[in-house]
């Protein structure tokens, strides 16, 4: 019976996935196909390798997931869905409140029905989810914002090397990034897509948004809260603009900040878990534990950090800077640290390019409200990660779920677009996910439809 269920589930997955992949390949321009292949193949290889060699968190969660799978195979679906207790090495672990470890164990418990408890297959499933979410967002951005370089979203979300490496396998990052990017893709389609505000498509989009928001929040709520808050703020900006307000850029930023601040205040009234003192104390505990574990290697340290709002605000600029600049080149010669340092050099180059483009008033063509919302999200996450994660290896892994959004913002300006075209990325081609341009009628001087101006 277990084998029959696994065969049916995998056949259903392939029946949906393979036609979808073929459509994406056929619609992708020549420059995007190599990035698509790299983003998919890289994730699958890393996912299978990590699943084959389960260790640390992945092993801990997979062993708990086995007890959830046993409940499912015994027909105890309700208990598997809502249990707060899982088995682990002849012990019973009870979780209280929100736990992303328990949430992921339940997801893996369901995936075991298809994988027959195989770690490498679970790694492939999660890697596929990450890829589909990232490619969907990249193609949606290219379709909805044709004046921005379509290669910017593909490079940032699909092909950026450390994202391919970290957002794969039996880990929380693939679920976190996949749900966040897919969520943003549906949101953009709902608010910026032509004719998307009515009919069954609207209902399906809203249902998808709710499911993905649920997954995203329970995977890592302190990542999800800034993103969801920024998107709610952007929806308020849309509403005010329809009513004739929030036209200026300053007004849009103020609305976004006000919505985020109001959401933070409301969260403290709903649960003590979101109170400021609870947050600062918990962050300090995480910081102190990570600092202790990292004492013998390169790490970030804030000697004057205290569990107060004033201290956190005072350290926020340094924390945000550390999140995207550490480790420095030469700070450590371990391979992963060297790769992270080289990535940080590339990020500094992109920051310089974006600053030059802004000085030349060539900052790009994305809607300002969307740029502001994503920039605020990246800034908040940079501060949180920089304050709570002194271990540079963990910092590099955690930031993989926010880094693509930052890279997209840094690549969408006109100066970066020129550089991408010179690299052969996006030059004279339609956006990924868009139907190829129709051939012009012989003898006609009209341009082919579907072309994307850059």
């Amino acid at each position: 019976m277990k084998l029959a269920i696994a065969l049916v589930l995998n056949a259903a997955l392939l029946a949906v996935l393979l036609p979808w992949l073929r459509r994406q390949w056929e619609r992708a321009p020549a420059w995007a196909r190599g990035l698509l292949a790299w983003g998919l193949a890289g994730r699958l290889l890393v996912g299978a390798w990590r699943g084959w060699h389960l260790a640390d968190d992945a092993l801990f969660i997979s062993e708990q997931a086995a007890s959830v799978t046993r409940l499912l195979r015994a027909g105890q679906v309700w208990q598997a869905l809502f249990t707060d207790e899982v088995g682990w090495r002849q012990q019973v672990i009870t979780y209280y409140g929100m736990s992303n470890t328990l949430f992921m164990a339940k997801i893996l418990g369901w995936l075991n029905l298809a994988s027959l408890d195989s770690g490498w297959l679970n790694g492939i499933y999660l890697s596929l989810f990450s890829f589909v979410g990232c490619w969907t967002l990249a193609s949606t951005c290219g379709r909805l914002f044709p004046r921005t370089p379509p290669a910017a979203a593909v490079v940032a979300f699909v092909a950026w090397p450390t994202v391919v490496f970290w957002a794969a396998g039996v880990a929380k990052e693939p679920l976190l990034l996949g749900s966040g990017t897919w969520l943003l893709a549906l949101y953009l389609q709902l608010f910026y897509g032509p004719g998307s505000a009515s009919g069954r498509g609207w209902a399906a989009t809203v249902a998808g948004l709710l499911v993905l928001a649920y997954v995203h929040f329970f995977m890592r709520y302190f990542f999800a809260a800034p993103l969801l808050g920024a998107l709610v703020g952007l929806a308020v900006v849309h509403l005010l603009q329809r009513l004739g307000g929030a036209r200026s850029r300053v007004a849009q930023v103020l609305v976004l900040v006000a919505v985020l601040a109001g959401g933070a205040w409301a969260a403290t009234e709903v649960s003590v878990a979101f109170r400021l003192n609870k947050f600062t104390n918990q962050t300090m505990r995480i910081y102190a534990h990570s600092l202790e574990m990292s004492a013998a290697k390169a790490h970030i340290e804030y000697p004057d950090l205290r569990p107060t709002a004033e201290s956190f605000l005072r350290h926020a600029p340094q924390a945000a800077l550390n999140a995207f600049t550490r480790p420095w080149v030469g700070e450590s010669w371990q391979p992963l640290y060297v790769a992270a340092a080289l990535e940080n050099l590339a990020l500094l180059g992109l920051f310089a390019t974006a600053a030059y483009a802004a000085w030349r008033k060539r900052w790009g063509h994305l809607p300002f409200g969307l740029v502001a919302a994503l920039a605020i999200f990246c800034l908040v996450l940079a501060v949180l990660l920089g304050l709570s994660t002194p271990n540079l290896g963990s910092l590099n892994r955690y930031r993989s779920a926010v880094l693509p959004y930052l890279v997209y913002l840094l690549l969408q300006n006109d100066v970066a677009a020129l550089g991408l075209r010179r690299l052969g990325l996006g030059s004279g081609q339609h956006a990924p996910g868009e139907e190829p341009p129709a051939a012009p009628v012989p003898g006609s001087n009209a341009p082919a439809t579907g072309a994307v101006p850059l």
Side-chain angles (χ1 to χ4, degrees):
M1 178 60 72
K2 290 195 299 185
L3 179 60
I5 293 174
L7 289 173
V8 169
L9 292 175
N10 282 287
L13 173 64
L14 292 175
V16 174
L17 180 66
L18 293 180
W20 180 84
L21 281 175
R22 187 177 69 177
R23 288 195 303 271
Q24 304 313 307
W25 182 265
E26 291 173 348
R27 293 175 180 176
W31 61 263
R33 288 180 176 176
L35 298 180
L36 184 157
W38 153 250
L40 176 59
R43 281 175 169 86
L44 294 182
L45 289 173
V46 172
W49 175 72
R50 283 193 175 155
W52 191 269
H53 299 89
L54 291 173
D56 302 326
D57 246 12
L59 179 60
F60 178 64
I61 296 173
S62 296
E63 289 175 346
Q64 295 178 57
S67 66
V68 178
T69 307
R70 285 193 293 270
L71 291 175
L72 292 172
R73 286 172 176 157
Q76 299 175 351
V77 177
W78 186 265
Q79 186 176 351
L81 286 172
F82 297 104
T83 184
D84 291 328
E85 296 182 347
V86 290
W88 179 69
R89 297 184 181 179
Q90 311 304 318
Q91 303 176 40
V92 175
I93 298 178
T94 303
Y95 289 92
Y96 299 95
M98 292 182 295
S99 169
N100 55 8
T101 298
L102 175 62
F103 187 73
M104 186 172 175
K106 291 185 178 182
I107 291 177
L108 284 179
W110 285 88
L111 291 181
N112 282 336
L113 298 178
S115 69
L116 294 178
D117 308 282
S118 169
W120 70 272
L121 264 179
N122 285 337
I124 284 179
Y125 297 149
L126 294 175
S127 300
L128 281 172
F129 179 77
S130 169
F131 171 80
V132 171
C134 289
W135 180 262
T136 300
L137 177 57
S139 59
T140 299
C141 289
R143 191 169 60 250
L144 298 181
F145 310 121
R147 295 186 67 195
T148 63
V154 179
V155 169
F157 293 102
V158 178
W160 193 260
T162 55
V163 174
V164 172
F165 181 79
W166 288 117
V170 181
K172 295 167 185 174
E173 281 70 30
L175 283 169
L176 186 65
L177 183 60
S179 60
T181 50
W182 209 338
L183 168 74
L184 181 57
L186 293 181
Y187 179 95
L188 295 179
Q189 181 61 41
L190 186 65
F191 282 91
Y192 295 97
S196 59
S198 61
R200 294 180 180 177
W202 182 87
T205 299
V206 171
L209 279 170
L210 293 176
V211 171
L212 290 166
Y214 179 85
V215 173
H216 197 56
F217 185 81
F218 275 90
M219 277 314 306
R220 198 167 282 157
Y221 71 85
F222 64 89
F223 272 71
L227 178 61
L228 297 176
L231 296 184
V232 170
L234 188 54
V236 174
V237 169
H238 279 289
L239 177 61
L240 292 177
Q241 287 178 335
R242 289 190 176 186
L243 297 175
R247 296 293 182 184
S248 72
R249 292 181 172 182
V250 173
Q252 292 179 51
V253 172
L254 290 176
V255 169
L256 288 167
V257 172
V259 170
L260 282 169
W265 174 83
T268 64
E269 297 300 310
V270 171
S271 171
V272 295
F274 299 106
R275 295 283 172 87
L276 181 60
N277 61 342
K278 177 81 171 179
F279 166 76
T280 55
N281 283 313
Q282 183 176 355
T283 301
M284 284 298 299
R285 284 196 298 270
I286 296 172
Y287 165 79
H289 175 73
S290 182
L291 185 61
E292 181 182 355
M293 301 298 292
S294 309
K297 59 183 81 170
H299 61 272
I300 300 170
E301 191 166 352
Y302 307 104
D304 300 325
L305 185 63
R306 299 292 182 268
T308 65
E310 293 79 9
S311 182
F312 274 43
L313 286 174
R314 189 169 62 253
H315 286 84
Q318 183 183 358
L321 185 64
N322 285 336
F324 294 117
T325 61
R326 300 286 299 274
W328 304 309
V329 174
E331 191 166 6
S332 172
W333 297 109
Q334 295 182 27
L336 288 178
Y337 282 47
V338 172
L342 294 176
E343 177 183 52
N344 290 335
L345 281 181
L347 288 176
L348 289 175
L350 292 182
F351 273 113
T353 301
Y356 175 74
W359 178 64
R360 295 290 302 274
K361 296 184 179 180
R362 300 175 62 189
W363 36 59
H365 304 281
L366 279 178
F368 177 79
L370 177 60
V371 172
L374 293 181
I376 291 173
F377 161 66
C378 292
L379 177 61
V380 171
L381 258 296
V383 172
L384 291 176
L385 289 174
L387 286 175
S388 64
T389 319
N391 182 283
L392 296 180
S394 298
L395 176 63
N396 194 238
R397 175 164 63 93
Y398 293 157
R399 77 178 189 180
S400 65
V402 65
L403 190 60
Y405 302 93
L406 176 66
V407 173
Y408 179 51
L409 292 178
L410 297 177
L411 284 176
Q412 60 87 37
N413 62 77
D414 293 340
V415 177
L418 178 61
L420 291 171
R421 286 200 298 271
R422 286 178 174 174
L423 292 173
L425 300 177
S427 178
Q429 296 286 352
H430 58 285
E434 186 180 60
E435 291 293 344
V441 178
S444 170
N445 293 323
T449 59
V452 177
L454 292 177

